[in-house]
Amino acid sequence: MRIIKDKNAIIRMFHVHKRYGAKQALIDISLDVKKNEFLFVNGPSGAGKSTLLRLLYLGTSVSEGQILVDGINLARIPQSSIPYLRRKIGIIFQDYKLIHTKTVYENVALVLEAMGKKKVIIDKKVKNVLLTVGMKSRQDALPPTLSGGEQQRVAVARAIVGDPKIILADEPTGSLDSESSQAIMDLLEKYYIRGATIIIATHDKSIIKQPDAKVVELSEGRLLSNTKI
Amino acid sequence: MRIIKDKNAIIRMFHVHKRYGAKQALIDISLDVKKNEFLFVNGPSGAGKSTLLRLLYLGTSVSEGQILVDGINLARIPQSSIPYLRRKIGIIFQDYKLIHTKTVYENVALVLEAMGKKKVIIDKKVKNVLLTVGMKSRQDALPPTLSGGEQQRVAVARAIVGDPKIILADEPTGSLDSESSQAIMDLLEKYYIRGATIIIATHDKSIIKQPDAKVVELSEGRLLSNTKI
Amino acid sequence: MSHYYKRAVKDILENRFQNLVTIITIAFSVLIVSAFTLFFYNAGNIINSWKQGIRIMVYLSEGITKAQQLDTKYRFAEIPGIQASRFISKQEALELLKQQLQRQSLLLGNLKENPLPDAFEITLKPSSQNYERLEFIAKRLENLPFVDEVEYGQRWMQGVSAVVNLISITGYAFGSLFLLASVFIVANTIRLVLFSRQEEIRIMKLVGATNRFIKTPFYIEALIQGILGSLLGLIFLYVVYLFIGTYFKWGITAKTVNICFLPYDVIFVIIISGMGVGMIGGAIALKQFLKS
Amino acid sequence: MSHYYKRAVKDILENRFQNLVTIITIAFSVLIVSAFTLFFYNAGNIINSWKQGIRIMVYLSEGITKAQQLDTKYRFAEIPGIQASRFISKQEALELLKQQLQRQSLLLGNLKENPLPDAFEITLKPSSQNYERLEFIAKRLENLPFVDEVEYGQRWMQGVSAVVNLISITGYAFGSLFLLASVFIVANTIRLVLFSRQEEIRIMKLVGATNRFIKTPFYIEALIQGILGSLLGLIFLYVVYLFIGTYFKWGITAKTVNICFLPYDVIFVIIISGMGVGMIGGAIALKQFLKS
Ligand SMILES: Nc1ncnc2c1ncn2[C@@H]1O[C@H](COP(=O)(O)OP(=O)(O)OP(=O)(O)O)[C@@H](O)[C@H]1O
Ligand SMILES: Nc1ncnc2c1ncn2[C@@H]1O[C@H](COP(=O)(O)OP(=O)(O)OP(=O)(O)O)[C@@H](O)[C@H]1O
Ligand SMILES: [Mg+2]
Ligand SMILES: [Mg+2]
């Protein structure tokens, strides 16, 4: 199989299959995501949305097929380069994945510390992004003492604080009321306008409001359609 | 303060306050829930919905005020009786709270085992309830290998398997597409029709479809309205 | 109950890594304490055999009759602390002396008559084998009729007494230390394991499990871990013991020092203690986690 | 680097319970090993002082001249393994004998002339203080001119040799065992702690942290734990040592047995080992968790 390079595509998936044991989670997925695209991956519970995102940040590896992210073939990337790949990607996990023993501030700052940024810069950026998601006042709280929606907003803050090229958001508004929900979507749109590529996995079609967004539909591991709203 | 007994109320809250340190999570809540009522607690992120439910199963205790559940004053209940209180209540936690090291089947069966039920009865009930939520085929999977929606359905199964008098559901459909969502709501309605009292905390008004449901609105810890749709 | 037992076994299999760590930690702790016990058990035996050598020589006045000699022997019974007495005639004493002197025995070659006295050699009961008692008994012996002089190896006795004291004090001190350390290590390992299972315990409480329902399998687990760990530790010690034993016998063939393994009752106590420590460690941790 | 250090200190404070368990586990392990070391260090000293007593008596032929006697002394230098020699004249020997015989010395009262020979008392180098070498050296001494007879305490030597062998073999065997046990216990405690922090490590990896970023603070933590634990263990041992020391001195006043604490270099090695064990235990666990 030849991989055709496309200057405009930041993510390319070629006939990707993913099996968990006997379970076929993704079946023959081929998909190009352009630079600075706003993509929704839609589908019911268990369709494979999270799995698709997971493949992109090497949270798991493909069973078959190939994936290129920002020109890097994920099958060939050495173990030691994975952190650098992940720094290009901001991830909002479906289950938030906040560190329970670190404060909100520390959870968000961690991303920048891992990049080796200076303390003053970290402080400025973290406080700024916490303000944006409305969590500045809770910056010293531990995640287990936050409400579900508050945790989700911290997860969003952590995903965007490093100014990533790509943002992967897995149900980023699942625990949020419509108002907070809209605020988060607006925030993601702001990064989109700044040039980031945004991929949002969701079961909730009502949050898809962007006029220029692309929507793909997953169902039982298969890609159904490839349509704009 | 005198507590007026009401034969029809299964839950009574009298001027309840809840503080987490300096944070006022609930302010002067008085609320009666009738036997066999279908109640929605609605409100934005951080309003105090989860906290309200938490008080009912003694996940935390009130800072001020009194709560009666099924005739029991929660302030007076001895430590050793708490498990028996909790067996009357089926809880769907916002973050599911599944045991990661036990299979789906074991997680659900645990409730009945703790009650001291017989093995054959447990087996029948668990398989039945897993079938109802559509998770029978994944009964031997560990929760971390399930999708978000699948985990939520297991959480629902665990909450209802013990045929509780009261079901507390904290965003029971947050991770579910509208179809699965409807299925869960229908399931809860079935238990309501059988005579259970259902309290659902949610930020999502669109799931409120029951014609005879009561809705209360929480905002920044205060009870706003007390209306029927 | 069989239901609890099944849950415990299942739990052990599910948390294999942590259980293995706990069992091996118990094994090593048991190993340390029982190795130490074994060492001091044998050291104690050796010391006892030395102590048996503590004796008092009672020299009789010259020219006493057979009856007077017997009379003296009977009087020994009145003095508490004396285990046995043996009569050594002057002829016997001279022979012994010649043997002892080895080369210098030629000094005795030109003796016309034996100037040594008849004597009794007295051994003491174990409880009286210390310097104070020894002196006291010697005094009483001196005051008996027909007794000319009493001799006991003063300097030698002080030396042995010192070594014995040192070894037994060190033994008790280090023994308690090692025991304390092992109890602490085992209890904390179990706490650490339970710590990582806090969430599970918390969830079980939330769905209506009683404390008893939660605790019982953990106790059974601790019991099984305690037995397996102790056995493993003792087996390990036995292997080392065999190794030392053969190496030791191979190296030299002295019959003076006899080493042996721990007696059954001590082994039994060790296993019971292993179980107990596991359960107590678990109990403390569970109490702590069940509160919150 | 100071940034890593800060994170490590913060981590220790945040995970106080687990760190305390680790530190105390290290302390107890160090305590066990160093208590044992201390015991054998002192036992070794005592044994050495006994061994110094190993000596060979060389009896010279009767009527040799002063020159011949000196000649003999010079020839000792040719035999490897001899440390020193001391001349004991026949008069001196008789005096010594009288002292030794105590009560029986009256046997020697009617000696007309001293039948004892002149002699050399020879002490051996430490490396030659074993039975085989002793016998060999004695043979060579016997073949020297003007030497009449050579005597060495055969039976006594065999006895001591047996005890020394037993103690040192037991010491090495138990010492390695305890060391092994301690290393295992410490390493596993750290693995257990890291096990409960797996999720945290996994999340750090997901947000782009390199292995080095994750590992370094844990290593620094292990280092600090190692130092604190070792120091704590040694301090505990020192307290016990003082206690035994005073109790011991109070009980008896023998100058024959002198106990002393571990020398500085051993203490240094113990602290370094404590650090090392912590780091190795952490390294193994981290490698395991960073893979998945
Ligand atoms: N680690 C795993 N091991 C086994 N099966 C898995 C694993 N992860 C996911 N699956 C299965 O793969 C399927 C797709 O899972 P995925 O998490 O991608 O679904 P999803 O579309 O994100 O669903 P949801 O909207 O409920 O989050 C599910 O049936 C799930 O049970
Ligand atoms: N253990 C705690 N310690 C401190 N503050 C807490 C704790 N639990 C909740 N809070 C705070 O109390 C407020 C109410 O929390 P609660 O979880 O009840 O909100 P909620 O209505 O369920 O929100 P959501 O819809 O986001 O789940 C929040 O601001 C939260 O941060
Ligand atoms: Mg998902
Ligand atoms: Mg909530």
Side-chain angles (χ1 to χ4, degrees):
Chain A
M1 194 184 61
R2 265 185 67 227
I3 294 174
I4 302 109
K5 288 199 179 167
D6 180 343
K7 281 228 162 179
N8 286 319
I10 194 164
I11 293 171
R12 313 201 70 183
M13 303 180 87
F14 299 90
H15 304 288
V16 168
H17 292 248
K18 176 62 191 178
R19 279 181 290 276
Y20 294 112
K23 169 88 192 172
Q24 272 279 9
L26 289 177
I27 303 164
D28 197 27
I29 306 283
S30 289
L31 179 69
D32 274 11
V33 182
K34 293 213 183 69
K35 263 184 195 139
N36 193 215
E37 189 161 48
F38 206 115
L39 175 72
F40 283 94
V41 179
N42 189 238
S45 170
K49 305 180 294 294
S50 301
T51 301
L52 195 149
L53 298 191
R54 216 172 281 144
L55 290 175
L56 298 180
Y57 60 82
L58 276 173
T60 189
S61 52
V62 296
S63 305
E64 258 176 67
Q66 300 240 22
I67 300 179
L68 294 180
V69 174
D70 201 21
I72 303 162
N73 185 337
L74 296 191
R76 302 251 179 79
I77 190 171
Q79 197 72 19
S80 60
S81 298
I82 294 178
Y84 302 96
L85 168 75
R86 288 181 181 157
R87 286 177 197 178
K88 295 179 184 174
I89 309 176
I91 315 167
I92 303 165
F93 298 95
Q94 192 171 6
D95 55 355
Y96 320 142
K97 292 208 192 301
L98 300 175
I99 299 174
H100 284 12
T101 51
K102 293 193 186 297
T103 64
V104 165
Y105 181 94
E106 287 164 355
N107 264 284
V108 177
L110 182 64
V111 176
L112 300 176
E113 279 170 6
M115 289 180 178
K117 291 266 197 288
K118 285 226 183 70
K119 217 177 153 76
V120 273
I121 295 174
I122 293 177
D123 195 60
K124 213 182 106 200
K125 283 207 170 197
V126 171
K127 284 189 172 150
N128 197 36
V129 79
L130 284 177
L131 202 66
T132 322
V133 299
M135 290 301 296
K136 179 82 195 330
S137 62
R138 302 300 309 269
Q139 69 170 31
D140 295 323
L142 294 177
T145 71
L146 297 180
S147 83
E150 287 166 347
Q151 289 183 39
Q152 190 155 43
R153 282 181 273 162
V154 176
V156 171
R158 186 181 59 185
I160 60 178
V161 74
D163 271 318
K165 273 188 176 178
I166 302 171
I167 297 177
L168 305 179
D170 200 350
E171 308 282 5
T173 61
S175 303
L176 291 171
D177 53 288
S178 55
E179 208 173 307
S180 316
S181 212
Q182 193 51 54
I184 296 298
M185 290 308 292
D186 291 348
L187 188 62
L188 290 178
E189 210 173 337
K190 206 176 87 191
Y191 278 79
Y192 164 62
I193 290 164
R194 278 205 222 160
T197 305
I198 318 275
I199 303 181
I200 299 177
T202 185
H203 56 73
D204 183 5
K205 280 189 181 148
S206 72
I207 65 166
I208 309 178
K209 286 171 182 163
Q210 282 67 20
D212 49 354
K214 187 175 151 188
V215 180
V216 298
E217 196 89 33
L218 267 182
S219 174
E220 293 183 5
R222 284 177 206 277
L223 212 55
L224 289 191
S225 58
N226 211 337
T227 47
K228 287 208 176 197
I229 297 188
Chain B
M1 192 184 60
R2 264 185 66 226
I3 295 173
I4 303 108
K5 287 201 180 167
D6 180 342
K7 281 230 160 178
N8 287 319
I10 194 163
I11 294 171
R12 313 201 70 182
M13 302 179 87
F14 299 90
H15 303 289
V16 168
H17 293 250
K18 176 63 190 178
R19 280 181 289 276
Y20 294 112
K23 169 89 192 170
Q24 272 278 8
L26 289 177
I27 303 165
D28 198 27
I29 306 283
S30 289
L31 179 70
D32 275 12
V33 182
K34 293 212 182 69
K35 263 186 194 136
N36 194 216
E37 189 160 46
F38 205 114
L39 175 72
F40 283 94
V41 179
N42 190 238
S45 170
K49 305 180 294 293
S50 301
T51 300
L52 196 150
L53 298 190
R54 218 173 279 144
L55 290 174
L56 299 180
Y57 60 83
L58 277 173
T60 188
S61 52
V62 296
S63 304
E64 257 176 68
Q66 300 240 23
I67 300 179
L68 294 180
V69 174
D70 201 20
I72 304 161
N73 186 335
L74 296 192
R76 303 251 178 79
I77 191 171
Q79 197 73 19
S80 59
S81 298
I82 294 178
Y84 302 96
L85 168 75
R86 287 181 181 157
R87 286 178 197 177
K88 293 179 184 173
I89 308 176
I91 315 166
I92 303 164
F93 299 94
Q94 192 170 8
D95 55 356
Y96 320 142
K97 292 207 192 301
L98 300 174
I99 299 174
H100 284 11
T101 50
K102 293 193 186 298
T103 65
V104 165
Y105 182 93
E106 288 165 354
N107 265 284
V108 177
L110 182 64
V111 177
L112 301 176
E113 278 169 7
M115 288 180 179
K117 291 265 196 288
K118 287 226 184 69
K119 218 178 152 75
V120 273
I121 294 174
I122 292 175
D123 194 61
K124 213 182 108 201
K125 282 206 169 199
V126 171
K127 284 189 172 151
N128 196 36
V129 78
L130 284 177
L131 203 66
T132 321
V133 299
M135 289 301 297
K136 179 80 195 332
S137 62
R138 303 300 309 268
Q139 69 170 31
D140 296 323
L142 294 177
T145 71
L146 297 180
S147 83
E150 288 164 347
Q151 289 183 40
Q152 190 155 44
R153 282 182 273 162
V154 176
V156 171
R158 186 181 59 185
I160 60 178
V161 74
D163 270 319
K165 273 188 176 179
I166 302 171
I167 296 177
L168 306 179
D170 201 350
E171 307 283 5
T173 61
S175 302
L176 290 171
D177 53 288
S178 55
E179 207 174 310
S180 317
S181 214
Q182 195 51 54
I184 295 298
M185 290 309 293
D186 291 349
L187 188 62
L188 291 178
E189 209 173 337
K190 207 175 87 189
Y191 278 80
Y192 164 62
I193 290 164
R194 280 204 219 160
T197 306
I198 318 274
I199 303 180
I200 299 177
T202 184
H203 55 73
D204 183 6
K205 281 189 177 147
S206 73
I207 65 166
I208 309 177
K209 287 170 181 163
Q210 283 66 21
D212 50 353
K214 188 175 150 187
V215 180
V216 297
E217 196 89 34
L218 267 182
S219 174
E220 292 182 5
R222 283 177 207 278
L223 212 56
L224 289 191
S225 56
N226 211 334
T227 47
K228 286 209 177 197
I229 298 187
Chain C
M1 207 56 211
S2 96
H3 158 247
Y4 282 126
Y5 175 75
K6 269 182 210 150
R7 260 175 70 208
V9 171
K10 215 162 149 274
D11 232 53
I12 290 181
L13 295 176
E14 267 167 18
N15 300 281
R16 240 165 290 145
F17 163 66
Q18 300 185 330
N19 267 280
L20 213 69
V21 170
T22 310
I23 289 173
I24 299 183
T25 303
I26 294 176
F28 273 123
S29 300
V30 164
L31 177 65
I32 289 172
V33 172
S34 59
F36 201 76
T37 311
L38 179 63
F39 179 74
F40 271 91
Y41 178 72
N42 280 294
N45 282 349
I46 293 171
I47 287 166
N48 269 343
S49 75
W50 285 359
K51 271 189 177 169
Q52 313 260 284
I54 294 178
R55 47 175 203 134
I56 301 177
M57 292 302 295
V58 177
Y59 298 104
L60 303 177
S61 314
E62 232 168 311
I64 63 166
T65 63
K66 188 85 187 166
Q68 286 167 333
Q69 173 205 316
L70 275 175
D71 181 55
T72 309
K73 192 179 171 78
Y74 289 131
R75 278 169 199 260
F76 292 158
E78 287 160 25
I79 303 174
I82 290 179
Q83 176 141 301
S85 61
R86 188 170 74 87
F87 181 70
I88 298 173
S89 71
K90 47 165 68 178
Q91 290 75 24
E92 242 178 284
L94 190 61
E95 280 311 305
L96 271 172
L97 187 62
K98 276 183 181 168
Q99 270 177 38
Q100 274 173 33
L101 285 178
Q102 291 178 42
R103 196 196 142 72
Q104 288 106 322
S105 65
L106 52 90
L107 282 171
L108 307 175
N110 47 6
L111 275 180
K112 275 158 226 145
E113 61 168 326
N114 183 350
L116 293 173
D118 289 329
F120 278 104
E121 187 192 73
I122 288 175
T123 51
L124 301 178
K125 286 184 183 154
S127 58
S128 301
Q129 286 168 356
N130 59 60
Y131 193 62
E132 294 71 28
R133 289 289 305 155
L134 187 65
E135 230 171 0
F136 174 76
I137 292 170
K139 279 266 152 59
R140 293 204 50 180
L141 288 169
E142 229 160 32
N143 294 333
L144 291 180
F146 317 119
V147 168
D148 185 29
E149 205 178 335
V150 171
E151 197 186 88
Y152 51 100
Q154 294 199 12
R155 266 165 312 169
W156 178 79
M157 180 58 201
Q158 271 192 352
V160 167
S161 196
V163 171
V164 168
N165 265 349
L166 177 63
I167 290 184
S168 57
I169 293 170
T170 329
Y172 287 127
F174 284 0
S176 345
L177 265 191
F178 287 2
L179 195 68
L180 186 72
S182 299
V183 168
F184 182 89
I185 287 171
V186 169
N188 264 319
T189 305
I190 290 174
R191 282 179 71 191
L192 224 45
V193 167
L194 285 176
F195 187 78
S196 71
R197 296 181 67 183
Q198 254 188 111
E199 190 59 21
E200 181 182 338
I201 292 174
R202 216 174 272 150
I203 292 173
M204 285 168 85
K205 286 199 75 177
L206 285 178
V207 301
T210 56
N211 283 354
R212 191 167 144 263
F213 179 83
I214 296 170
K215 276 177 181 171
T216 313
F218 282 118
Y219 282 143
I220 298 175
E221 250 181 86
L223 217 93
I224 296 174
Q225 289 169 344
I227 295 175
L228 290 181
S230 306
L231 279 179
L232 208 70
L234 285 169
I235 289 171
F236 198 178
L237 180 66
Y238 191 69
V239 171
V240 174
Y241 161 76
L242 286 184
F243 168 76
I244 293 180
T246 49
Y247 186 91
F248 184 55
K249 269 178 201 134
W250 185 79
I252 39 136
T253 47
K255 273 184 192 150
T256 40
V257 191
N258 243 320
I259 61 169
C260 54
F261 200 62
L262 295 171
Y264 288 116
D265 50 352
V266 174
I267 289 177
F268 183 71
V269 167
I270 287 173
I271 292 177
I272 295 289
S273 311
M275 278 163 41
V277 169
M279 305 243 311
I280 292 168
I284 295 170
L286 279 172
K287 202 169 176 182
Q288 181 181 337
F289 297 143
L290 284 172
K291 252 186 201 157
S292 63
Chain D
M1 207 56 211
S2 97
H3 158 247
Y4 283 126
Y5 174 75
K6 270 183 209 150
R7 259 175 69 208
V9 171
K10 223 167 143 268
D11 231 53
I12 290 181
L13 295 176
E14 268 166 18
N15 299 282
R16 240 166 290 146
F17 164 66
Q18 300 184 329
N19 267 280
L20 213 68
V21 170
T22 310
I23 289 174
I24 299 183
T25 303
I26 294 176
F28 274 123
S29 300
V30 165
L31 177 65
I32 289 173
V33 172
S34 59
F36 201 77
T37 311
L38 179 63
F39 179 74
F40 272 91
Y41 178 72
N42 280 294
N45 281 349
I46 293 171
I47 287 166
N48 269 342
S49 75
W50 286 358
K51 271 190 178 169
Q52 312 259 287
I54 294 177
R55 48 174 202 136
I56 302 178
M57 293 301 296
V58 177
Y59 298 105
L60 302 177
S61 314
E62 233 169 311
I64 63 167
T65 63
K66 187 88 187 164
Q68 286 167 335
Q69 173 206 318
L70 275 175
D71 180 55
T72 309
K73 191 178 170 79
Y74 289 132
R75 280 170 196 257
F76 292 158
E78 286 161 23
I79 303 174
I82 291 179
Q83 176 139 300
S85 59
R86 187 169 76 88
F87 181 70
I88 298 173
S89 69
K90 46 165 70 177
Q91 289 75 23
E92 243 179 284
L94 190 60
E95 279 311 304
L96 273 172
L97 188 61
K98 277 184 181 166
Q99 271 176 36
Q100 276 173 29
L101 285 178
Q102 291 178 42
R103 197 196 142 73
Q104 287 105 323
S105 66
L106 50 92
L107 282 171
L108 306 176
N110 47 7
L111 275 180
K112 273 159 225 147
E113 63 166 326
N114 183 350
L116 293 175
D118 289 330
F120 278 105
E121 186 192 73
I122 288 176
T123 51
L124 301 178
K125 286 185 182 151
S127 59
S128 301
Q129 287 168 355
N130 59 60
Y131 194 62
E132 294 70 28
R133 288 291 301 157
L134 187 66
E135 230 170 359
F136 173 77
I137 292 170
K139 279 267 152 58
R140 293 205 49 181
L141 288 169
E142 229 161 30
N143 292 334
L144 291 180
F146 317 120
V147 167
D148 184 28
E149 204 177 338
V150 171
E151 196 185 271
Y152 51 100
Q154 294 200 12
R155 265 167 311 166
W156 179 79
M157 181 58 201
Q158 272 193 350
V160 167
S161 196
V163 172
V164 169
N165 265 348
L166 177 63
I167 291 185
S168 57
I169 292 170
T170 329
Y172 286 127
F174 285 179
S176 345
L177 264 190
F178 288 2
L179 195 68
L180 187 72
S182 300
V183 168
F184 182 89
I185 287 172
V186 169
N188 264 319
T189 305
I190 290 174
R191 282 179 70 190
L192 223 45
V193 167
L194 286 175
F195 187 78
S196 72
R197 297 180 68 182
Q198 255 188 109
E199 189 60 20
E200 182 181 338
I201 293 174
R202 216 174 273 148
I203 292 173
M204 285 168 86
K205 286 199 74 176
L206 284 178
V207 302
T210 55
N211 282 354
R212 189 166 146 265
F213 179 83
I214 296 170
K215 275 178 182 170
T216 313
F218 281 118
Y219 282 144
I220 298 175
E221 251 181 84
L223 217 92
I224 296 174
Q225 288 170 344
I227 295 174
L228 290 181
S230 306
L231 279 179
L232 209 68
L234 285 169
I235 289 170
F236 198 177
L237 179 66
Y238 190 69
V239 171
V240 173
Y241 160 77
L242 286 183
F243 168 78
I244 293 180
T246 50
Y247 187 91
F248 184 56
K249 270 178 200 135
W250 186 79
I252 39 135
T253 47
K255 273 182 191 151
T256 40
V257 191
N258 244 319
I259 60 170
C260 54
F261 200 61
L262 296 170
Y264 288 115
D265 49 353
V266 175
I267 289 176
F268 184 71
V269 168
I270 287 173
I271 292 176
I272 295 288
S273 312
M275 278 163 41
V277 169
M279 304 243 312
I280 292 167
I284 294 170
L286 279 172
K287 202 169 176 181
Q288 181 182 335
F289 297 143
L290 284 172
K291 252 185 203 158
S292 64

